[in-house]
Amino acid sequence: MATTADFKTGLCLEMNNDIYTIVDFQHVKPGKGGAFVRTKLKSLTSGKVLDKTYTAGEKVVTARVEKRPHQFIYQDDFGYNFMDTESFEQISIQEKLIERPKLLKEGQMVDVLVHAETETPLSVELPPFVELMITYTEPGIKGDTATNAMKPATLETGAVVMVPLFVDQDIMIRVDTRDGSYSERVK
């Protein structure tokens, strides 16, 4: 059990036979009336986001969730297959539980959130940045723009990312996995 004073981003709660993680929260103390906490919760099983308001000091049930290091092996008809780096067990995870599956590269390390009591995988967290090779992009023409123009680039995993005009084919780039955007070239 925890109270609203223990809320922080990433805390997992059990509610309505589902597990939710706190995406955002705000403690509000109006001039009149009692304080309350506005939260934005994301379901770890379905991915749905909902807004919920708690009165200050209200007790909530926390869920025991563990982050375990896994290595992405391959994708097949059943989903994405990962190997636990400690026990070498393989698990298959559905695409809907992965935030940006197109940025997964074979052999890449990720964190899998696992419900500790039922041992069911809840979601897959990619590292903040991944380094991927550009397999195809149109050549940029010098003097083509007055501002920072972007062009589409296809990466080795099949994902399409918008990159600046000066980035060419067969160059490694760093991609932000939180929003799927170009970050920088890898030297």
Side-chain angles (χ1 to χ4, degrees):
M1 295 290 279
T3 65
T4 56
D6 301 322
F7 279 7
K8 62 181 182 246
T9 304
L11 180 71
C12 294
L13 308 174
E14 284 185 23
M15 184 174 71
N16 301 336
N17 296 326
D18 200 356
I19 297 174
Y20 292 88
T21 182
I22 297 177
V23 178
D24 189 31
F25 71 99
Q26 179 182 17
H27 188 272
V28 180
K29 176 132 182 27
K32 187 176 182 183
F36 57 90
V37 179
R38 279 193 196 111
T39 60
K40 190 173 281 192
L41 305 171
K42 180 179 179 185
S43 171
L44 291 178
T45 53
S46 66
K48 293 181 182 174
V49 178
L50 64 103
D51 295 317
K52 182 150 175 59
T53 304
Y54 295 95
T55 57
E58 187 175 334
K59 292 193 181 302
V60 291
V61 180
T62 56
R64 267 193 46 223
V65 175
E66 298 174 354
K67 273 188 188 178
R68 297 183 184 162
H70 281 69
Q71 182 179 18
F72 174 61
I73 306 172
Y74 62 92
Q75 176 191 3
D76 60 10
D77 296 339
F78 301 107
Y80 290 76
N81 294 281
F82 297 88
M83 179 182 69
D84 190 332
T85 56
E86 294 166 1
S87 67
F88 301 108
E89 286 182 29
Q90 290 187 14
I91 57 170
S92 182
I93 296 179
Q94 299 170 350
E95 185 174 347
K96 69 177 185 177
L97 297 178
I98 306 170
E99 188 72 37
R100 299 197 189 282
K102 286 279 194 190
L103 297 178
L104 273 174
K105 184 172 149 182
E106 287 185 7
Q108 184 176 357
M109 297 300 295
V110 296
D111 286 330
V112 176
L113 284 175
V114 179
H115 190 257
E117 288 142 24
T118 60
E119 291 295 318
T120 55
L122 300 170
S123 69
V124 176
E125 287 185 0
L126 276 71
F129 295 94
V130 291
E131 295 177 0
L132 298 168
M133 177 77 71
I134 295 177
T135 55
Y136 176 77
T137 186
E138 296 287 334
I141 297 150
K142 194 171 187 176
D144 199 15
T145 179
T147 60
N148 58 349
M150 306 289 262
K151 63 181 179 179
T154 306
L155 304 176
E156 62 187 295
T157 59
V160 177
V161 175
M162 297 302 284
V163 297
L165 291 175
F166 60 82
V167 177
D168 293 322
Q169 196 166 309
D170 299 325
I171 289 182
M172 290 287 284
I173 62 168
R174 188 167 286 129
V175 179
D176 188 339
T177 59
R178 293 166 291 201
D179 58 3
S181 65
Y182 165 85
S183 178
E184 62 183 348
R185 286 185 289 185
V186 178
K187 292 162 177 75

